[in-house]
Amino acid sequence: MKWEKPPKLYIMGWLVSMPFITLALCYIMYGGEMWRNWRIPAACYLIIYAIGFVSWRLHVVYDLNMRKKFPSLDQTAKRVRYKTAINLVIMTPSVLLIFFLFHTLRIFNYQIQPNDLLYGYLVGLAVNIIFETLWEVNYLVEKHKETAMEKELLERMQLMQEFTNLKQKVNPHFLFNCFNTLLALIAEDKIKAESFLDELSKVYRYLLRNNQSGMSTLADEVNFIKSYSRLLQTRYGQGLQLQMNIDPAVNNYELPALSLQLLVENAVKHNIISKQNPVFININATGNGRLIVENNLAPKINKPDSTGIGLANIREKYRLLKRDDVVAEQRAEKFFVSLPLLEVGN
């Protein structure tokens, strides 16, 4: 068995218990005589402390090794059985060696009396039960904390992985749409294509720089949407109108990265966009901690295949953040989405 440094709780247990053990054993051996002859308690404390230290140190080594051999919470019963057996058969009976030592050396003429061993055994048993229970309860509390921390860490790692998976779904989808637009512009107007490519590089730099943590501030998302909307308006011209009303008080609130981009992209994807019938997208954020994105409806006759990445992706990100209050509904001739804004640190 390995000799490790005793935990602080074990040391405190020995320091607290030894005065009482010594006093009890000394009284069992000498009775009231110990109060009349100061040499008796002096000798008792010296000898019993020395023997007690060796016994306690062996107890600590055994106890810590039991923890290593049976460390988990579901092995508690087995750990307790082994420690109980050792306490009853070895640890507690070791107290009786003190009586035999005093009897053999005739220290202050001590001779073992009929009930001395029984009382000594009960003293040792009581002390061992109290402190072994205290040590085991402390260990169980620590293991529960450790298990809770491990569970929390695993949940965080899982959330990070799920966020990463969601981001990997968004970015290729976003690039695919942009490259389609760029190909169309190259054939129509090379100057506009160059301008579009320049805006695209700015937008994607934002994605690479700010989409690592999974969250963005509302201010960053709004600035990104301004650049992103210029990409869309390069192609659609006056067919797409974007208006924003953002309360500065919520600029530093957070939301899942690219949420705005996905909602704007959905409005473009599912509606007819023309100069005669433009799509109006209104983005509003007020002090009530909600972001509202609204667009008029002009559904395409031949609707494109929907992968469900857009709104479903946003709902999934909020689910990972323990929020289920994303609202999406059709109101008259408009489509309305309301997202909760999260205060930093909450």
Side-chain angles (χ1 to χ4, degrees):
M1 291 186 291
K2 186 177 179 181
W3 290 72
E4 299 181 17
K5 181 180 179 181
K8 187 178 295 185
L9 181 64
Y10 286 61
I11 297 174
M12 290 299 298
W14 184 75
L15 293 175
V16 170
S17 64
M18 280 308 298
F20 297 101
I21 294 174
T22 305
L23 180 64
L25 297 183
C26 190
Y27 185 79
I28 291 172
M29 291 187 289
Y30 297 102
E33 183 64 23
M34 65 176 290
W35 307 118
R36 294 186 290 271
N37 186 352
W38 65 268
R39 292 181 179 85
I40 293 177
C44 287
Y45 270 75
L46 181 63
I47 297 172
I48 294 175
Y49 259 75
I51 297 173
F53 177 80
V54 175
S55 176
W56 166 79
R57 195 68 182 86
L58 291 171
H59 194 171
V60 170
V61 172
Y62 179 80
D63 200 78
L64 295 180
N65 276 275
M66 282 295 98
R67 289 186 180 187
K68 288 187 176 181
K69 190 172 182 179
F70 308 109
S72 63
L73 290 173
D74 57 5
Q75 293 176 312
T76 298
K78 185 179 292 187
R79 189 171 57 250
V80 169
R81 282 199 301 270
Y82 275 99
K83 291 198 289 186
T84 300
I86 290 296
N87 277 320
L88 292 175
V89 177
I90 297 177
M91 295 299 177
T92 298
S94 67
V95 175
L96 305 183
L97 293 176
I98 296 171
F99 292 92
F100 288 108
L101 178 64
F102 275 71
H103 174 83
T104 302
L105 298 179
R106 291 292 190 271
I107 298 175
F108 296 105
N109 298 315
Y110 171 70
Q111 292 184 352
I112 295 178
Q113 300 302 311
N115 290 327
D116 286 0
L117 297 182
L118 173 61
Y119 293 149
Y121 186 89
L122 292 176
V123 169
L125 181 62
V127 171
N128 278 322
I129 288 176
I130 291 171
F131 284 97
E132 191 60 59
T133 301
L134 176 63
W135 295 347
E136 184 63 24
V137 168
N138 180 71
Y139 179 72
L140 292 176
V141 171
E142 290 178 351
K143 289 298 292 183
H144 276 291
K145 289 181 180 179
E146 182 181 314
T147 302
M149 291 176 64
E150 289 176 353
K151 182 179 179 181
E152 183 180 356
L153 178 60
L154 288 174
E155 288 179 350
R156 288 182 180 178
M157 291 175 65
Q158 183 179 359
L159 292 181
M160 291 174 64
Q161 184 60 48
E162 291 187 40
F163 260 119
T164 299
N165 292 340
L166 290 172
K167 290 187 290 182
Q168 289 173 347
K169 291 179 182 179
V170 172
N171 293 350
H173 187 249
F174 167 67
L175 268 183
F176 178 78
N177 286 344
C178 286
F179 285 146
N180 275 347
T181 302
L182 180 60
L183 286 174
L185 285 176
I186 290 174
E188 297 173 5
D189 190 329
K190 290 185 177 181
I191 295 178
K192 283 188 177 182
E194 291 178 2
S195 176
F196 183 89
L197 185 58
D198 181 60
E199 291 291 342
L200 178 59
S201 67
K202 294 178 182 177
V203 166
Y204 209 72
R205 273 199 300 272
Y206 171 85
L207 294 177
L208 294 175
R209 187 175 65 250
N210 296 306
N211 195 27
Q212 297 303 312
S213 66
M215 301 295 291
S216 293
T217 65
L218 179 60
D220 286 341
E221 284 286 288
V222 167
N223 288 333
F224 168 69
I225 280 299
K226 290 178 180 177
S227 297
Y228 179 70
S229 66
R230 284 194 285 270
L231 296 181
L232 296 176
Q233 288 172 337
T234 298
R235 177 165 187 181
Y236 295 110
Q238 296 181 6
L240 181 67
Q241 302 292 328
L242 181 69
Q243 294 181 346
M244 288 189 285
N245 178 29
I246 307 297
D247 187 339
V250 293
N251 271 337
N252 291 325
Y253 282 45
E254 291 186 337
L255 69 163
L258 296 181
S259 296
L260 271 178
Q261 183 265 332
L262 287 171
L263 294 178
V264 172
E265 184 180 48
N266 273 356
V268 172
K269 181 179 179 181
H270 295 289
N271 291 284
I272 298 173
I273 299 178
S274 66
K275 183 178 181 179
Q276 292 74 26
N277 296 292
V279 170
F280 293 96
I281 301 175
N282 295 310
I283 301 174
N284 298 284
T286 58
N288 65 354
R290 305 287 300 188
L291 175 70
I292 298 172
V293 180
E294 188 179 60
N295 64 271
N296 59 316
L297 293 174
K300 293 180 178 179
I301 298 176
N302 297 318
K303 294 183 178 180
D305 293 334
S306 176
T307 61
I309 283 179
L311 191 56
N313 187 291
I314 295 172
R315 289 187 186 278
E316 182 67 10
K317 286 185 177 181
Y318 274 102
R319 183 190 67 80
L320 296 176
L321 296 168
K322 311 298 183 186
R323 296 294 296 262
D324 58 358
D325 49 345
V326 174
V327 178
E329 58 188 21
Q330 183 174 336
R331 296 180 176 180
E333 298 299 319
K334 293 184 178 182
F335 188 71
F336 169 95
V337 178
S338 176
L339 306 179
L341 297 173
L342 310 176
E343 291 188 68
V344 178
N346 289 350

